[in-house]
Amino acid sequence: MSAPFPSTGFRLTNVSVQLGGKPVLSDLTLSLSEPRIGILGRNGSGKTTLLRLLAGLISPTQGTLTLDGIDPARDRKAMLSRLGILFQNPDHQILFPTVEEELAFGLRQQGQTDTAARAAARAVLANEGRAHWATASTATLSQGQRHWLCLQAVLMMAPATILLDEPFAGLDLPAQSRLTRRLAALPQRLITVTHDPASLSGADRILWLDDGRILQDGPPDAVLPAFTAAMDSIARDDHDTALPT
């Protein structure tokens, strides 16, 4: 696998998103270029919408967003070597019945022949001590193994930036430990979306998103204690009694 090429990162200018007529993200202006970025917030804060926006799955209602100067929602082909995403649920990402087919798909999207893509998939599996996985059904893999497969499929395409959606959700402690080590060693820019502050302690920069706006933006030692204290305060005040509007 080739190394990812240098990337200037994301640029968001006055970005807002409305869904169903309701504001979800409001007036975000950001430059995201650090190697390890965390996006933190409670459920309903707009994290998932921001992830989908960065991935090019939706477009801003107003404002502009680019990755390396390119709109990810408009030029999907250009994103193939620039941007990868690891979804929280691997079942939302896996498309093919066998491991080899799943790993080969992204390379075929990048222009490789089916023969070359399958050969590369088998080589990766052999290098990872998983040669016997090639013809295995993806449906038979454990949750941790499916996460590994999805990450490996992304890495084979060598994107410069990878978006991670709650990457440790549903994994037991050994699987979390293995994934943590693997992610830490990657050369790619990683942008992790989560509600778990502990998983972001090693980040270069944390964005605390609340009600669709950036409440705090800075290093972990500044943002994480403030976020934790705010969550403790909410827990003490029993703010979950109000019904959604």
Side-chain angles (χ1 to χ4, degrees):
M1 289 177 286
S2 60
F5 60 79
S7 168
T8 58
F10 286 99
R11 299 290 184 272
L12 289 76
T13 305
N14 303 126
V15 165
S16 295
V17 174
Q18 290 188 358
L19 299 176
K22 294 184 176 181
V24 181
L25 298 174
S26 301
D27 198 27
L28 301 183
T29 295
L30 297 165
S31 175
L32 304 177
S33 59
E34 292 82 359
R36 297 291 186 265
I37 300 170
I39 299 174
L40 186 65
R42 300 179 67 198
N43 291 339
S45 63
K47 301 191 309 297
T48 298
T49 299
L50 180 54
L51 179 81
R52 289 168 55 80
L53 191 68
L54 296 177
L57 300 176
I58 60 173
S59 295
T61 304
Q62 67 179 45
T64 60
L65 181 151
T66 62
L67 174 60
D68 302 336
I70 302 167
D71 183 338
R74 291 180 177 272
D75 194 342
R76 303 303 301 164
K77 185 176 181 180
M79 291 301 108
L80 290 174
S81 58
R82 286 179 167 82
L83 184 63
I85 182 169
L86 188 67
F87 290 104
Q88 177 178 347
N89 186 344
D91 293 336
H92 294 164
Q93 192 157 350
I94 294 173
L95 300 174
F96 292 91
T98 70
V99 170
E100 179 182 302
E101 290 174 290
E102 186 67 29
L103 291 176
F105 175 67
L107 298 181
R108 290 194 289 109
Q109 292 290 101
Q110 289 182 319
Q112 293 194 25
T113 66
D114 184 63
T115 299
R118 285 176 178 266
R122 291 192 296 270
V124 164
L125 288 170
N127 187 57
E128 294 278 336
R130 291 172 167 85
H132 57 295
W133 284 28
T135 58
S137 167
T138 54
T140 65
L141 302 181
S142 70
Q143 179 82 354
Q145 290 170 334
R146 292 198 298 276
H147 264 282
W148 179 92
L149 175 61
C150 291
L151 177 59
Q152 196 62 59
V154 169
L155 293 179
M156 288 184 68
M157 299 175 70
T161 300
I162 301 177
L163 305 175
L164 304 170
D165 180 17
E166 299 284 2
F168 304 107
L171 300 180
D172 61 19
L173 290 177
Q176 288 183 31
S177 181
R178 286 192 295 269
L179 182 58
T180 297
R181 291 196 303 271
R182 187 65 181 266
L183 294 176
L186 293 178
Q188 280 91 350
R189 174 186 299 112
L190 302 182
I191 300 179
T192 303
V193 173
T194 184
H195 65 273
D196 177 19
S199 66
L200 298 178
S201 60
D204 299 298
R205 177 183 178 189
I206 306 288
L207 306 177
W208 175 2
L209 193 64
D210 184 72
D211 198 25
R213 298 179 181 275
I214 300 299
L215 194 60
Q216 197 165 339
D217 179 354
D221 58 0
V223 179
L224 295 184
F227 176 82
T228 301
M231 297 306 103
D232 288 344
S233 176
I234 291 170
R236 288 193 302 270
D237 293 341
D238 196 21
H239 284 184
D240 68 347
T241 57
L243 294 173
T245 58

XYZ file of all heavy atoms in Angstrom, residues 2-83:
602
model
N 0.544 2.187 -0.852
C 1.316 3.421 -0.917
C 0.967 4.324 0.250
O -0.104 4.251 0.827
C 1.015 4.142 -2.239
O -0.354 4.447 -2.333
N 1.900 5.205 0.599
C 1.654 6.148 1.682
C 0.718 7.238 1.202
O 0.705 7.602 0.025
C 2.973 6.753 2.149
N -0.115 7.791 2.082
C -1.005 8.867 1.680
C -0.224 10.115 1.302
O 0.809 10.411 1.883
C -1.864 9.114 2.927
C -1.048 8.589 4.063
C -0.268 7.434 3.495
N -0.702 10.831 0.303
C -0.020 12.061 -0.108
C -0.358 13.181 0.868
O -1.351 13.115 1.589
C -0.412 12.435 -1.540
C -1.876 12.669 -1.742
C -2.477 13.854 -1.374
C -2.661 11.690 -2.324
C -3.836 14.074 -1.566
C -4.015 11.888 -2.519
C -4.600 13.077 -2.144
N 0.453 14.239 0.911
C 0.194 15.348 1.834
C -1.168 15.988 1.570
O -1.613 16.082 0.432
C 1.331 16.327 1.538
C 2.410 15.493 0.942
C 1.711 14.425 0.159
N -1.805 16.417 2.642
C -3.132 17.005 2.534
C -3.171 18.302 3.333
O -2.662 18.373 4.446
C -4.180 16.028 3.080
O -5.430 16.652 3.255
N -3.799 19.327 2.763
C -3.923 20.598 3.468
C -5.081 20.597 4.454
O -5.162 21.459 5.322
C -4.123 21.757 2.470
O -5.290 21.491 1.679
C -2.914 21.894 1.555
N -5.984 19.634 4.325
C -7.067 19.480 5.280
C -8.369 20.135 4.860
O -8.539 20.596 3.734
N -9.292 20.152 5.804
C -10.637 20.695 5.575
C -10.664 22.200 5.822
O -9.987 22.702 6.716
C -11.649 20.045 6.518
C -12.021 18.633 6.159
C -11.431 17.564 6.801
C -12.983 18.387 5.187
C -11.776 16.269 6.489
C -13.339 17.091 4.861
C -12.737 16.028 5.517
N -11.490 22.883 5.040
C -11.781 24.301 5.270
C -13.303 24.465 5.254
O -13.963 24.168 4.259
C -11.162 25.179 4.176
C -9.648 25.090 4.074
C -8.954 25.735 5.266
N -7.502 25.721 5.112
C -6.710 24.725 5.506
N -7.239 23.658 6.079
N -5.410 24.780 5.340
N -13.850 24.940 6.361
C -15.274 25.229 6.458
C -15.429 26.730 6.648
O -14.790 27.322 7.528
C -15.925 24.512 7.644
C -16.101 22.999 7.579
C -14.780 22.271 7.829
C -17.146 22.529 8.593
N -16.283 27.344 5.830
C -16.500 28.781 5.907
C -17.983 29.076 6.018
O -18.755 28.779 5.093
C -15.927 29.487 4.659
O -14.539 29.147 4.510
C -16.060 30.998 4.791
N -18.383 29.598 7.182
C -19.786 29.980 7.438
C -20.748 28.846 7.080
O -21.790 29.065 6.457
C -20.151 31.243 6.659
C -19.235 32.406 6.973
O -18.644 33.004 6.080
N -19.083 32.724 8.247
N -20.413 27.637 7.518
C -21.213 26.458 7.165
C -22.377 26.285 8.134
O -22.190 26.274 9.354
C -20.337 25.193 7.159
C -21.197 23.933 7.162
C -19.411 25.201 5.954
N -23.562 26.133 7.580
C -24.749 25.786 8.346
C -25.476 24.646 7.636
O -25.409 24.529 6.404
C -25.694 26.987 8.490
O -25.094 28.019 9.253
N -26.159 23.822 8.420
C -26.936 22.720 7.869
C -28.299 22.701 8.537
O -28.406 22.775 9.767
C -26.239 21.359 8.099
C -27.142 20.209 7.651
C -24.913 21.304 7.365
N -29.330 22.624 7.715
C -30.690 22.423 8.209
C -31.196 21.080 7.702
O -31.003 20.737 6.538
C -31.625 23.541 7.726
C -31.347 24.887 8.358
C -32.416 25.917 8.014
O -33.346 25.638 7.269
N -32.270 27.112 8.568
N -31.840 20.335 8.567
C -32.446 19.063 8.206
C -33.906 19.086 8.635
O -34.195 19.357 9.807
C -31.714 17.900 8.880
C -30.234 17.720 8.520
C -29.613 16.596 9.338
C -30.071 17.431 7.027
N -34.788 18.833 7.692
C -36.205 18.888 8.006
C -36.660 20.261 8.455
O -37.596 20.380 9.260
N -35.985 21.284 7.963
C -36.341 22.645 8.313
C -35.793 23.119 9.645
O -36.010 24.267 10.037
N -35.047 22.243 10.352
C -34.487 22.607 11.648
C -32.976 22.791 11.550
O -32.301 21.991 10.900
C -34.801 21.533 12.694
C -36.270 21.396 13.028
C -36.483 20.375 14.144
C -37.940 20.296 14.545
N -38.153 19.320 15.652
N -32.414 23.837 12.197
C -30.955 24.012 12.174
C -30.257 22.923 12.980
O -30.645 22.641 14.113
C -30.756 25.392 12.808
C -31.975 25.600 13.654
C -33.097 24.895 12.960
N -29.248 22.308 12.377
C -28.479 21.255 13.053
C -27.042 21.712 13.287
O -26.461 21.442 14.333
C -28.495 19.951 12.229
C -27.720 18.846 12.943
C -29.928 19.493 11.965
N -26.460 22.414 12.321
C -25.147 23.039 12.461
C -25.290 24.508 12.094
O -26.005 24.848 11.138
C -24.117 22.375 11.547
C -23.814 20.897 11.800
C -22.885 20.351 10.720
C -23.213 20.682 13.177
N -24.605 25.369 12.838
C -24.801 26.802 12.644
C -23.482 27.555 12.522
O -22.672 27.555 13.454
C -25.606 27.391 13.814
O -26.869 26.768 13.938
N -23.253 28.148 11.349
C -22.195 29.133 11.121
C -20.822 28.645 11.588
O -20.136 29.313 12.361
C -22.557 30.442 11.810
C -21.763 31.626 11.265
O -21.356 31.555 10.088
O -21.526 32.589 12.006
N -20.392 27.490 11.090
C -19.090 26.937 11.456
C -18.026 27.431 10.481
O -18.145 27.253 9.263
C -19.122 25.407 11.417
C -20.128 24.704 12.332
C -19.966 23.187 12.208
C -19.957 25.143 13.770
N -16.987 28.047 11.013
C -15.814 28.418 10.229
C -14.599 27.777 10.890
O -14.244 28.135 12.018
C -15.654 29.947 10.158
O -16.769 30.500 9.444
C -14.367 30.315 9.427
N -14.001 26.807 10.191
C -12.934 26.003 10.776
C -11.885 25.656 9.740
O -12.187 25.530 8.554
C -13.498 24.673 11.328
C -14.516 24.722 12.461
C -15.190 23.363 12.593
C -13.821 25.116 13.758
N -10.670 25.463 10.214
C -9.591 24.879 9.421
C -9.110 23.651 10.183
O -8.674 23.762 11.330
C -8.453 25.884 9.245
O -7.359 25.291 8.583
N -9.217 22.475 9.561
C -8.890 21.217 10.228
C -7.713 20.564 9.515
O -7.867 19.933 8.472
C -10.099 20.270 10.207
C -11.402 20.824 10.805
C -12.525 19.814 10.645
C -11.208 21.200 12.269
N -6.526 20.729 10.090
C -5.324 20.207 9.430
C -4.420 19.398 10.353
O -3.458 18.783 9.891
C -4.517 21.361 8.828
O -4.145 22.296 9.837
N -4.706 19.379 11.666
C -3.839 18.665 12.615
C -3.886 17.150 12.366
O -4.879 16.629 11.851
C -4.263 18.967 14.054
C -4.015 20.403 14.489
C -5.079 21.366 14.049
O -6.051 20.935 13.371
O -4.951 22.570 14.347
N -2.835 16.435 12.775
C -2.799 14.982 12.549
C -3.889 14.214 13.282
O -4.408 13.218 12.760
C -1.405 14.574 13.061
C -0.589 15.811 12.996
C -1.532 16.934 13.295
N -4.233 14.643 14.505
C -5.234 13.925 15.303
C -6.223 14.945 15.859
O -5.877 15.779 16.689
C -4.573 13.157 16.456
C -3.605 12.049 16.009
C -4.367 10.911 15.357
N -3.511 9.770 15.045
C -2.933 9.568 13.865
N -3.074 10.489 12.895
N -2.201 8.483 13.658
N -7.463 14.862 15.379
C -8.510 15.799 15.765
C -9.681 15.018 16.346
O -10.113 14.007 15.783
C -8.992 16.631 14.556
C -7.830 17.439 13.965
C -10.138 17.551 14.940
C -8.149 18.090 12.638
N -10.200 15.482 17.475
C -11.378 14.877 18.068
C -12.555 15.833 18.017
O -12.398 17.033 18.249
N -13.729 15.303 17.697
C -14.965 16.082 17.724
C -15.848 15.456 18.792
O -16.279 14.310 18.665
C -15.659 16.093 16.354
C -14.741 16.735 15.310
C -16.984 16.850 16.432
C -15.271 16.670 13.894
N -16.096 16.218 19.843
C -16.710 15.702 21.056
C -18.050 16.382 21.296
O -18.207 17.565 21.023
C -15.765 15.982 22.232
C -16.075 15.434 23.617
C -16.025 13.908 23.618
C -15.072 15.995 24.621
N -18.999 15.626 21.815
C -20.283 16.232 22.136
C -21.284 15.188 22.572
O -21.102 13.991 22.365
N -22.355 15.662 23.192
C -23.428 14.769 23.609
C -24.215 14.286 22.396
O -24.102 14.833 21.297
C -24.388 15.494 24.560
C -23.767 16.019 25.826
C -24.806 16.742 26.662
N -25.822 15.813 27.167
C -27.020 16.198 27.616
N -27.361 17.474 27.592
N -27.878 15.300 28.084
N -25.044 13.263 22.605
C -25.977 12.852 21.568
C -26.879 14.029 21.221
O -27.369 14.735 22.101
C -26.831 11.677 22.047
C -26.024 10.410 22.210
O -24.957 10.255 21.629
N -26.530 9.486 23.008
N -27.073 14.264 19.918
C -27.904 15.368 19.481
C -27.189 16.687 19.334
O -27.814 17.705 19.018
N -25.876 16.680 19.538
C -25.115 17.933 19.441
C -24.806 18.343 18.003
O -24.396 19.475 17.758
C -23.801 17.805 20.218
O -22.976 16.797 19.644
N -24.973 17.411 17.058
C -24.651 17.689 15.660
C -23.424 16.952 15.167
O -22.990 17.153 14.025
N -22.847 16.072 16.006
C -21.613 15.367 15.625
C -21.800 14.517 14.374
O -20.971 14.554 13.463
C -21.135 14.443 16.762
C -20.840 15.094 18.064
C -20.136 14.145 19.017
C -20.826 12.802 19.181
N -22.184 12.905 19.771
N -22.876 13.739 14.337
C -23.101 12.852 13.194
C -23.315 13.645 11.919
O -22.802 13.285 10.855
C -24.305 11.935 13.457
O -24.032 11.110 14.592
C -24.577 11.045 12.253
N -24.039 14.753 12.015
C -24.247 15.604 10.841
C -22.925 16.196 10.368
O -22.655 16.247 9.161
C -25.250 16.725 11.160
O -26.504 16.138 11.531
C -25.454 17.629 9.960
N -22.078 16.623 11.295
C -20.768 17.161 10.910
C -19.920 16.082 10.250
O -19.240 16.345 9.247
C -20.056 17.735 12.132
C -18.669 18.344 11.890
C -18.708 19.401 10.793
C -18.109 18.934 13.188
N -19.971 14.868 10.763
C -19.238 13.766 10.145
C -19.727 13.525 8.718
O -18.918 13.373 7.787
C -19.400 12.502 10.982
C -18.696 11.265 10.428
C -17.219 11.290 10.805
C -19.344 9.987 10.949
N -21.032 13.481 8.534
C -21.599 13.257 7.200
C -21.237 14.395 6.257
O -21.007 14.178 5.063
C -23.118 13.114 7.295
C -23.567 11.813 7.931
C -25.050 11.817 8.270
N -25.877 12.133 7.127
C -26.219 11.270 6.181
N -25.794 10.011 6.253
N -26.991 11.637 5.163
N -21.149 15.598 6.801
C -20.765 16.762 6.007
C -19.315 16.637 5.546
O -18.994 16.840 4.366
C -20.956 18.018 6.844
C -20.870 19.374 6.154
C -22.042 19.569 5.213
C -20.852 20.483 7.202
N -18.410 16.302 6.479
C -17.002 16.143 6.134
C -16.801 15.010 5.131
O -15.926 15.084 4.261
C -16.181 15.857 7.396
C -16.129 16.965 8.455
C -15.341 16.488 9.672
C -15.524 18.249 7.898
N -17.617 13.961 5.257
C -17.489 12.812 4.360
C -18.050 13.073 2.971
O -17.864 12.266 2.057
C -18.195 11.603 4.973
N -18.741 14.201 2.797
C -19.337 14.500 1.499
C -20.657 13.790 1.266
O -21.158 13.755 0.141
N -21.250 13.234 2.339
C -22.527 12.530 2.202
C -23.698 13.502 2.140
O -24.772 13.159 1.649
C -22.715 11.554 3.363
C -21.641 10.464 3.484
C -21.883 9.611 4.723
C -21.607 9.602 2.224
N -23.502 14.707 2.674
C -24.468 15.791 2.540
C -23.706 17.068 2.218
O -22.492 17.146 2.418
C -25.319 15.986 3.818
C -24.411 16.316 5.013
C -26.170 14.762 4.100
C -25.190 16.684 6.277
N -24.428 18.064 1.735
C -23.825 19.372 1.436
C -24.336 20.414 2.423
O -25.430 20.261 2.986
C -24.182 19.811 0.004
O -23.615 18.944 -0.943
N -23.576 21.477 2.645
C -24.060 22.543 3.529
C -25.327 23.193 2.982
O -25.481 23.330 1.760
C -22.905 23.541 3.557
C -21.710 22.811 3.041
C -22.236 21.772 2.113
N -26.202 23.603 3.880
C -27.347 24.411 3.469
C -26.872 25.797 3.050
O -27.408 26.402 2.122
C -28.355 24.521 4.628
O -28.740 23.200 5.044
C -29.591 25.299 4.205
N -25.848 26.274 3.747
C -25.181 27.506 3.334
C -23.712 27.415 3.729
O -23.332 26.625 4.585
C -25.822 28.735 3.968
C -25.654 28.844 5.471
C -26.296 30.112 6.023
O -27.412 30.459 5.660
N -25.591 30.801 6.894
N -22.886 28.222 3.082
C -21.450 28.191 3.329
C -20.748 27.206 2.412
O -21.365 26.568 1.551
N -19.431 27.085 2.611
C -18.632 26.201 1.759
C -17.761 25.281 2.607
O -17.319 25.644 3.703
C -17.716 27.008 0.822
O -16.826 27.818 1.597
C -18.539 27.890 -0.112
N -17.514 24.095 2.088
C -16.635 23.117 2.718
C -15.770 22.476 1.646
O -16.275 22.048 0.605
C -17.459 22.047 3.440
C -16.669 20.950 4.171
C -17.470 20.432 5.372
C -16.348 19.764 3.256
N -14.463 22.417 1.893
C -13.557 21.763 0.955
C -12.557 20.898 1.706
O -12.252 21.145 2.874
C -12.773 22.781 0.102
O -11.968 23.596 0.964
C -13.708 23.640 -0.725
N -12.061 19.885 1.039
C -10.916 19.095 1.491
C -9.856 19.215 0.415
O -10.090 18.835 -0.743
C -11.299 17.637 1.705
C -10.140 16.685 2.034
C -9.416 17.105 3.306
C -10.628 15.237 2.154
N -8.713 19.775 0.767
C -7.641 20.039 -0.206
C -8.162 20.864 -1.381
O -7.776 20.658 -2.531
C -7.040 18.721 -0.709
C -6.488 17.863 0.401
O -6.137 18.416 1.461
O -6.418 16.630 0.240
N -9.058 21.793 -1.074
C -9.593 22.679 -2.101
C -10.712 22.099 -2.935
O -11.187 22.754 -3.874
N -11.172 20.891 -2.619
C -12.187 20.198 -3.411
C -13.435 19.967 -2.554
O -13.329 19.600 -1.380
C -11.651 18.846 -3.914
C -10.387 19.051 -4.744
C -12.702 18.093 -4.721
C -9.632 17.771 -5.021
N -14.595 20.177 -3.127
C -15.852 19.917 -2.435
C -16.083 18.400 -2.420
O -16.305 17.797 -3.480
C -16.999 20.614 -3.173
C -18.341 20.451 -2.470
O -18.500 19.504 -1.670
O -19.249 21.256 -2.746
N -16.040 17.751 -1.252
C -16.164 16.289 -1.222
C -17.519 15.774 -1.686
O -17.619 14.630 -2.147
C -15.915 15.942 0.255
C -16.162 17.185 1.015
C -15.820 18.307 0.095
N -18.559 16.587 -1.586
C -19.879 16.142 -2.025
C -20.021 16.205 -3.545
O -20.843 15.487 -4.118
C -20.970 16.995 -1.370
N -19.216 17.021 -4.199
C -19.345 17.213 -5.643
C -18.371 16.371 -6.458
O -18.657 16.044 -7.615
C -19.145 18.697 -6.002
C -20.266 19.598 -5.508
C -20.008 21.040 -5.902
N -21.096 21.914 -5.498
C -22.166 22.173 -6.221
N -22.288 21.623 -7.414
N -23.107 22.986 -5.773
N -17.237 16.030 -5.868
C -16.227 15.274 -6.619
C -15.865 14.008 -5.852
O -14.847 13.944 -5.167
C -14.988 16.142 -6.859
C -14.052 15.550 -7.908
O -14.171 14.344 -8.202
O -13.196 16.291 -8.416
N -16.709 12.993 -5.956
C -16.487 11.749 -5.227
C -15.238 11.032 -5.732
O -14.524 10.393 -4.954
C -17.699 10.828 -5.373
C -19.014 11.426 -4.905
C -18.950 11.866 -3.461
N -18.623 10.770 -2.571
C -18.205 10.905 -1.324
N -18.021 12.107 -0.819
N -17.950 9.853 -0.582
N -14.941 11.134 -7.004
C -13.771 10.463 -7.553
C -12.488 11.005 -6.935
O -11.573 10.241 -6.594
C -13.728 10.617 -9.076
C -12.596 9.841 -9.731
C -12.659 9.937 -11.247
C -11.548 9.130 -11.889
N -11.597 9.226 -13.380
N -12.406 12.314 -6.771
C -11.214 12.920 -6.185
C -11.041 12.502 -4.734
O -9.919 12.486 -4.216
C -11.286 14.443 -6.288
N -12.138 12.160 -4.065
C -12.064 11.772 -2.659
C -11.539 10.347 -2.459
O -11.154 9.990 -1.341
C -13.449 11.884 -2.013
C -13.958 13.308 -1.845
S -12.872 14.352 -0.817
C -12.160 15.432 -2.073
N -11.514 9.523 -3.494
C -11.138 8.128 -3.335
C -9.737 7.964 -2.749
O -9.471 7.016 -2.020
C -11.229 7.394 -4.681
C -12.646 7.171 -5.225
C -12.582 6.567 -6.619
C -13.444 6.279 -4.289
N -8.833 8.871 -3.094
C -7.470 8.782 -2.571
C -7.207 9.811 -1.478
O -6.087 9.902 -0.975
C -6.455 8.979 -3.704
O -6.660 10.222 -4.344
N -8.233 10.562 -1.115
C -8.059 11.618 -0.114
C -8.769 11.323 1.201
O -8.305 11.740 2.253
C -8.586 12.956 -0.660
C -7.696 13.591 -1.696
C -8.295 14.899 -2.204
N -7.314 15.665 -2.973
C -7.041 15.452 -4.243
N -7.683 14.495 -4.904
N -6.128 16.173 -4.871
N -9.896 10.623 1.129
C -10.767 10.536 2.291
C -11.343 9.137 2.462
O -11.875 8.553 1.514
C -11.916 11.548 2.131
C -12.893 11.690 3.286
C -12.178 12.195 4.536
C -14.020 12.642 2.901
